[in-house]
């Protein structure tokens, strides 16, 4: 009986190589467009630090746990983040398109890797108004 293992294994390794090459190419493209925050954002995605919070009214925001352990609220609909780097680097100095937290929100959404959390409209209002920084309040 012939063994298909070598053919199957060979195809598997070709698929892995193709995926690795595409991943490397994507990372280079991200770094070219977004600079040094691209790798930091990918790290946040890998750590599953991004949570998409949504309410019955249809409102949605992203909460990202930064490298320091602080929680930042991001709005992809208007490209805003509550972190100091966004205020300084993006808004004030116009040195970057996005901060690493917003980029992580976009990437996790595109990759299907963000955590999902449903909130009440009242909880979402607290987050949107800045009165609640955490989703567990």
């Amino acid at each position: 009986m012939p063994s298909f293992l070598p053919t199957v294994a060979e195809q598997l390794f070709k698929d892995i190589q193709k995926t690795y090459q595409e991943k490397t190419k994507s990372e280079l493209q991200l770094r070219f467009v977004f600079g040094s925050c691209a790798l930091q954002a990918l790290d946040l995605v890998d750590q599953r630090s991004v949570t998409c919070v949504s309410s019955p009214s249809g409102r949605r925001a992203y909460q990202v746990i930064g490298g320091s352990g602080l929680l930042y609220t991001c709005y992809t609909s208007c490209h805003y983040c509550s972190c100091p780097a966004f205020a300084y680097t993006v808004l004030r100095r116009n040195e970057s398109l996005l901060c690493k937290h917003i980029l992580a929100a976009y990437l996790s959404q595109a990759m299907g890797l963000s955590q999902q959390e449903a909130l009440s409209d009242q909880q979402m209002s607290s987050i949107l108004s800045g009165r609640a920084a955490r989703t567990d309040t």
Side-chain angles (χ1 to χ4, degrees):
M1 183 170 151
S3 172
F4 293 105
L5 182 60
T7 304
V8 170
E10 184 178 321
Q11 184 59 47
L12 176 62
F13 292 133
K14 285 180 183 178
D15 291 346
I16 290 170
Q17 181 182 19
K18 182 180 176 186
T19 301
Y20 177 76
Q21 289 171 341
E22 288 172 0
K23 180 182 176 196
T24 302
K25 182 180 175 184
S26 295
E27 286 179 8
L28 288 172
Q29 291 170 335
L30 283 170
R31 287 181 69 184
F32 180 77
V33 174
F34 297 106
S36 62
C37 79
L39 292 179
Q40 296 168 337
L42 285 169
D43 189 43
L44 291 172
V45 173
D46 285 344
Q47 293 176 23
R48 303 294 193 268
S49 298
V50 181
T51 301
C52 177
V53 293
S54 58
S55 66
S57 63
R59 290 181 175 90
R60 184 169 58 170
Y62 289 86
Q63 293 195 312
V64 181
I65 301 172
S68 63
L70 295 174
L71 186 70
Y72 300 104
T73 302
C74 302
Y75 307 99
T76 56
S77 60
C78 62
H79 311 293
Y80 176 80
C81 180
S82 61
C83 75
F86 180 81
Y88 185 74
T89 307
V90 177
L91 296 179
R92 185 167 182 199
R93 306 262 333 237
N94 201 25
E95 292 177 350
S96 182
L97 297 171
L98 305 169
C99 69
K100 66 182 177 184
H101 308 109
I102 296 175
L103 183 55
Y106 278 118
L107 290 171
S108 67
Q109 182 181 26
M111 297 155 85
L113 294 175
S114 64
Q115 310 294 322
Q116 302 292 317
E117 185 173 345
L119 303 177
S120 69
D121 285 329
Q122 184 177 5
Q123 289 172 309
M124 183 60 84
S125 290
S126 293
I127 290 171
L128 295 175
S129 68
R131 291 185 304 223
R134 296 198 143 284
T135 59
D136 57 6
T137 57

